[in-house]
Amino acid sequence: ASRFIADLCAWLSSDNAPERITGVICPTSSSEVAGMTIDSANRVAMIPLNLAEGDIIFEETVANPLRAWIDEHQPDGVSTYITGSQAVISAFADAALTTVERTLIVTVALVILLLLLIYRSPVSPLVPLFAVTLSYLITRGLVAVLAANVMTVSSYADILLVVVIYGAGTDYCLFLISRFREEVADQPNIGAATTATIENVGETIASSAGTIFVGFTAMIFAHFGLFNACGPALAIGIIVSLLAGLTFVPAMLSTLGNRAFWPGTAKHRAQGKFYVTTSGLVARYPAQVMIIIVLVMLPLGVYGFRTP
């Protein structure tokens, strides 16, 4: 192990080492240094490195060449790890990127599965999928511009944007598609059906998006950095999703017409027994239902209000 450490230090001090490494403190250079960098049981040794400053990718310029040399020269029974602030930040960035990719794949798969189960059509799921994907890409671009010039944006924002946009955006599309199907079932004129869909559902979607937008925007005033650095990005995502829902989605539905529900046709969905019973109960006893819900939710609300 001592020979390996000496060889590693020699390589790190040579011209063949990564250019960003400007200094090496070798544990075997003196007894004083060994006392500060090697544990008392002689099982762990630390080799501190000095790195040149600059926005240079740590993995490509330092970590990868270092791992390649270690893999070639490391003897059996010795384990080597790269640590420190730069290594942790780099690992965090890689983990965040991997998380975004996996979250996107899982989210898209679940959205497609859900829409296939709801509409039983291979065409209908494409409408919200295109809309929310376009919204996500546009939002990422807008947030990137703002992050580079205006405000600080957390790296977690990209992960949350996938969940928020695909969740809320798909929800808006469900409202539009369901109403469009009913309108087309009632009248053959696709243009009139599209207009009626936006008139009847647009206000509901806009109200929902407005509420969420206010909530995310309020996160700017949070003291915890993760929240105030993610809130504006999420608020932008909601607005973009709303605009796509009120423009792009109706345009796609109007273009597809009845083909949006292939191999079936546009028709009114049969009323489910659960919804008929629930709506009838609320209509007959609105005050009682409201009181019961408040009583059930009040303890949780009080607890949440008192939580620091």
Side-chain angles (χ1 to χ4, degrees):
S2 59
R3 177 63 182 272
F4 170 69
I5 293 174
D7 291 343
L8 177 56
C9 291
W11 176 74
L12 291 172
S13 303
S14 69
D15 295 336
N16 296 324
E19 294 182 359
R20 196 180 175 192
I21 297 177
T22 60
V24 181
I25 300 177
C26 186
T28 59
S29 60
S30 67
S31 58
E32 290 80 5
V33 175
M36 294 184 292
T37 57
I38 301 177
D39 75 319
S40 58
N42 289 326
R43 295 179 57 87
V44 179
M46 179 176 62
I47 305 176
L49 303 177
N50 294 326
L51 302 179
E53 296 185 2
D55 297 329
I56 304 175
I57 301 176
F58 177 78
E59 286 292 320
E60 295 182 3
T61 60
V62 178
N64 289 340
L66 189 54
R67 291 192 185 100
W69 190 94
I70 291 172
D71 290 340
E72 183 178 353
H73 298 86
Q74 181 172 273
D76 295 336
V78 176
S79 299
T80 307
Y81 306 94
I82 302 176
T83 186
S85 59
Q86 289 278 3
V88 172
I89 293 173
S90 178
F92 174 79
D94 290 341
L97 181 61
T98 302
T99 301
V100 171
E101 295 174 350
R102 292 177 180 175
T103 302
L104 183 59
I105 293 173
V106 172
T107 302
V108 171
L110 290 177
V111 167
I112 294 176
L113 178 62
L114 176 64
L115 296 176
L116 286 174
L117 292 175
I118 292 175
Y119 291 110
R120 298 179 177 87
S121 167
V123 180
S124 296
L126 298 179
V127 175
L129 187 61
F130 285 155
V132 296
T133 301
L134 181 63
S135 300
Y136 171 66
L137 295 176
I138 292 174
T139 303
R140 284 197 69 186
L142 293 174
V143 172
V145 172
L146 293 176
N149 301 282
V150 179
M151 62 186 186
T152 300
V153 178
S154 170
S155 56
Y156 280 110
D158 202 14
I159 303 173
L160 298 176
L161 277 174
V162 174
V163 179
V164 170
I165 292 179
Y166 275 83
T170 302
D171 194 26
Y172 301 155
C173 291
L174 290 178
F175 276 104
L176 289 162
I177 295 174
S178 297
R179 186 70 189 198
F180 181 75
R181 180 175 57 185
E182 295 178 353
E183 294 294 340
V184 173
D186 292 337
Q187 55 181 318
N189 190 314
I190 300 300
T194 304
T195 301
T197 298
I198 300 176
E199 289 178 349
N200 291 303
V201 181
E203 184 177 354
T204 302
I205 295 176
S207 300
S208 173
T211 303
I212 301 174
F213 173 80
V214 171
F216 283 143
T217 303
M219 292 170 63
I220 297 175
F221 303 102
H223 295 289
F224 189 41
L226 174 63
F227 293 149
N228 59 42
C230 287
L234 300 179
I236 293 172
I238 289 296
I239 293 300
V240 173
S241 299
L242 172 63
L243 295 177
L246 295 179
T247 57
F248 186 59
V249 173
M252 283 194 293
L253 292 175
S254 181
T255 302
L256 291 171
N258 221 336
R259 294 186 296 271
F261 311 103
W262 182 87
T265 58
K267 59 182 179 180
H268 286 273
R269 178 177 290 274
Q271 294 182 342
K273 184 177 179 180
F274 172 78
Y275 299 106
V276 172
T277 303
T278 303
S279 59
L281 180 65
V282 174
R284 287 194 301 270
Y285 309 104
Q288 292 89 330
V289 171
M290 181 177 64
I291 293 173
I292 291 174
I293 293 176
V294 170
L295 291 176
V296 172
M297 302 300 295
L298 186 61
L300 299 176
V302 172
Y303 176 78
F305 180 76
R306 298 176 61 183
T307 300

